[in-house]
Each structure stands twice: as C-alpha cells, then as structure tokens.
Amino acid sequence: MSSYEFILKFRLPDPHADPEQYLDALADAGCDDATAGIGQPGRLALDFARDAASALEAVVSAVRAVKAAIPGAELVEATPDLVGLTDVAELFGCSRQNMRKLMVTHPESFPPAMHEGAQSLWHLRQVLAWFRDTQQRPVDPALAEVAEVTMKLNIANATQRLGRGGVPKVIQALFA
C-alpha cells in the first residue's frame, strides 16, 4: 500500500447549495481521508491522502465515494495534472528562472506545453518523466503515478463532455 495525494473538484447538483451540507455524507461514504474546500458556492474540492494498492485504485475509489455521497455531482478536475513553470520549480526546489532556462535550452526534448501563453501549462506526468529520463533527477513514484492517473481522468472527462458525437474522425486523423 502507498499513500496517494490528489485533489478532486466537483460541481454540485444544486449550484446554490451550501457545500457544507454534504460533509457528513462524504465522511459516511469513506471520504474521511480528505480535507474539504467549500469556499465557492455550488462547488466542492476534496484534498485526498488515500492509501491504496495503486493511484488508479485511490482516485477511482474516491470519485465513486463522492458520487455515492452526492448524487448528481460532476467531476470538474483532478489534480495534480496541469502545472506551470513555477509549480515545477517548487517540486524540484529550484527557481522559476532555472526552470525556464532548462525549457529553453532543451527545446528538442522538453515536453510540449498543453497551453501556451502568459501562463503556459504542461501535463505534470510528462514533465516528471522528462526530469527522470533526461536530467537524471529522482521523481517520487507515487506522485508520477497519480499525475498519470489524473491526466488520463481529465482527458477522459473532457472527452465525455463532448457528448455522443465525440471527436470527429477528421480531427482524430490529425493525430494518427
């Protein structure tokens, strides 16, 4: 068993509901290993530290427990997934400027940004793999595992939101 840390953010079925009303039901459903964030009306964030045989088991069991406790709750996002240079710098104990230098001096191997702009974002799983493989930096295996699971969960969630039409074949062909 390992301990996996992750955050699940949900949209509540009633956008005007006080999220505090769900706390007892969440504890009864097995979410007593999470700290609840209830600062935004109609939303609930749960910061988990869950023991499980795998990150996949930890995250899936947590999502199922929340959905059992709060019927109609919709998963919005799972983290850790998307990170900026500052987030990565903090993980590896260096400055943002140092991270930017690494990114700029290794353009052929540094993972492509998921979003480029004033605040570029990367999938944490890809950045951790880059550090491990090209920079020979140690990476926490539990963090790498949970980052992969949350990335895949967020991608699946976004695809599900597309509805029955899914991704048109012409768009899928662009990535073949």
Side-chain angles (χ1 to χ4, degrees), residues 75 99 102-103 151 159:
L75 181 66
M99 274 307 309
L102 281 171
M103 178 189 74
M151 178 186 75
T159 303

Side-chain angles (χ1 to χ4, degrees), residues 82-92 94-104 110-111 113 117-122 127 130-131:
L82 296 178
V83 292
L85 287 179
T86 302
D87 301 317
V88 178
E90 287 176 8
L91 277 173
F92 286 97
C94 62
S95 68
R96 184 188 186 289
Q97 291 79 5
N98 190 17
M99 274 307 309
R100 182 164 174 16
K101 182 179 178 183
L102 281 171
M103 178 189 74
V104 170
F110 197 82
Q119 173 65 29
S120 295
L121 298 172
W122 290 262
V127 175
W130 183 82
F131 264 95

